[in-house]
Amino acid sequence: MPEPRETAVYTHGHHESVLRSHTWRTAANSAAYLVPSLKPHMKILDIGCGPGTITADLAALVPDGRVTGVDRAPEILEQARATAAGRGLTNVDFAVADVHGLDYPDATFCVVHAHQVLQHVGDPVQALREMKRVVRPGGIVAVRDADYAAMTWYPEVRGLDAWLDLYRRVARANGGEPDAGRRLKAWAQRAGFTDITATSGTWTFATPEERAWWSGLWADRTLASAYADRARLGGHAGERELRAVAEAWREWGAREEGWFSVLHGEILGRKEA
């Protein structure tokens, strides 16, 4: 029987506007629900590590352990290696991997972590089964994903509702589930977890600097990233619609009263000892 492999297309790609967001992520702002469970000796697998900023933070938190960061895209791993090297970390390594069929023996890791991954995969339940397989008895699978339908903002700038509708359509056409956050607990149950701690966390963008950064990266992503290409090629939006969405983002970012919140679902699934 062939190993399960990824069937979904990664919606965002690795355009500069995407990496602008990914390199901002840290253990503090993206994995705070996991950090209290970490011990200095732990061996961690970080799935979908991207440019490696969270991976590097995790490695610093387990100085007597080791962190392996994996991603489907070989080119992004070079940036992840540079991130780790720039911080002088020697307990971290990186490899290409597909979460649907991990090339690691059973019970290899103390913790398996995935941030903003399951929303982009073709079979999130199979991915969680694999994560559970490679974690040790008593170990933790930690997953956090945004939930696009639960994102909320103020003021109601015309065009941002169109952005949300467009993004969700493109993501689903690519085989993903943009409203993954609310589904994590159910997916984990279907994957065989019985000990699940389900929580939620948010990112909030409200200061002038935060608004400029968040609105700017989404405006640029709407026009120039792989997401933009897939919106055009899939017939989801033409150039005029994309430019209108980008302009709506910039308009929102310029509003002094602007506020945007991203809700994330989070789970800690413990493997039976």
Side-chain angles (χ1 to χ4, degrees):
M1 183 176 178
E3 288 186 0
R5 291 295 172 192
E6 178 61 276
T7 57
V9 175
Y10 179 47
T11 296
H12 295 292
H14 293 101
H15 184 263
E16 183 276 332
S17 61
V18 177
L19 295 180
R20 205 183 310 163
S21 170
H22 291 184
T23 54
W24 166 82
R25 298 172 183 174
T26 65
N29 66 31
S30 300
Y33 72 108
L34 169 63
V35 169
S37 299
L38 299 181
K39 308 297 182 190
H41 67 278
M42 283 181 162
K43 187 174 183 181
I44 300 174
L45 178 65
D46 186 23
I47 293 174
C49 67
T53 51
I54 298 176
T55 319
D57 282 353
L58 295 176
L61 291 168
V62 292
D64 302 322
R66 188 159 193 87
V67 178
T68 297
V70 297
D71 202 284
R72 288 186 64 219
E75 64 275 11
I76 200 62
L77 293 178
E78 290 307 310
Q79 185 168 341
R81 291 185 180 99
T83 298
R87 292 180 54 174
L89 296 165
T90 58
N91 64 332
V92 60
D93 58 90
F94 297 93
V96 176
D98 181 347
V99 68
H100 295 84
L102 295 167
D103 295 325
Y104 298 100
D106 295 358
T108 299
F109 301 95
C110 305
V111 174
V112 179
H113 169 261
H115 185 264
Q116 313 291 17
V117 172
L118 293 190
Q119 65 183 279
H120 297 296
V121 305
D123 190 342
V125 174
Q126 170 60 23
L128 282 161
R129 288 191 189 108
E130 273 294 273
M131 295 164 75
K132 185 179 184 219
R133 179 184 67 79
V134 301
V135 81
R136 296 171 182 170
I140 297 171
V141 171
V143 178
R144 186 177 197 252
D145 266 275
D147 193 299
Y148 275 75
M151 293 184 187
T152 188
W153 58 86
Y154 186 85
E156 295 182 8
V157 171
R158 185 177 179 181
L160 286 190
D161 284 337
W163 158 75
L164 182 57
D165 175 69
L166 173 63
Y167 180 82
R168 293 171 77 211
R169 284 189 285 114
V170 173
R172 287 187 172 129
N174 287 338
E177 176 46 72
D179 304 338
R182 68 188 66 191
R183 292 171 165 82
L184 296 183
K185 181 182 176 183
W187 287 341
Q189 289 172 330
R190 288 169 56 192
F193 287 92
T194 57
D195 184 350
I196 304 167
T197 301
T199 56
S200 62
T202 60
W203 291 334
T204 301
F205 306 101
T207 68
E209 295 77 16
E210 290 166 348
R211 293 196 316 272
W213 179 78
W214 185 244
S215 63
L217 70 85
W218 267 108
D220 292 345
R221 193 180 300 191
T222 298
L223 294 176
S225 69
Y227 156 64
D229 293 339
R230 287 163 187 143
R232 295 184 188 99
L233 294 173
H236 303 287
E239 196 65 30
R240 178 186 233 172
E241 291 87 351
L242 292 175
R243 291 195 177 280
V245 168
E247 182 55 36
W249 270 113
R250 297 199 183 280
E251 180 184 345
W252 172 83
R255 299 288 289 267
E256 291 184 2
E257 72 274 35
W259 176 91
F260 197 106
S261 183
V262 180
L263 177 71
H264 298 82
E266 304 163 339
I267 59 166
L268 296 176
R270 288 194 178 273
K271 186 172 181 179
E272 300 84 349

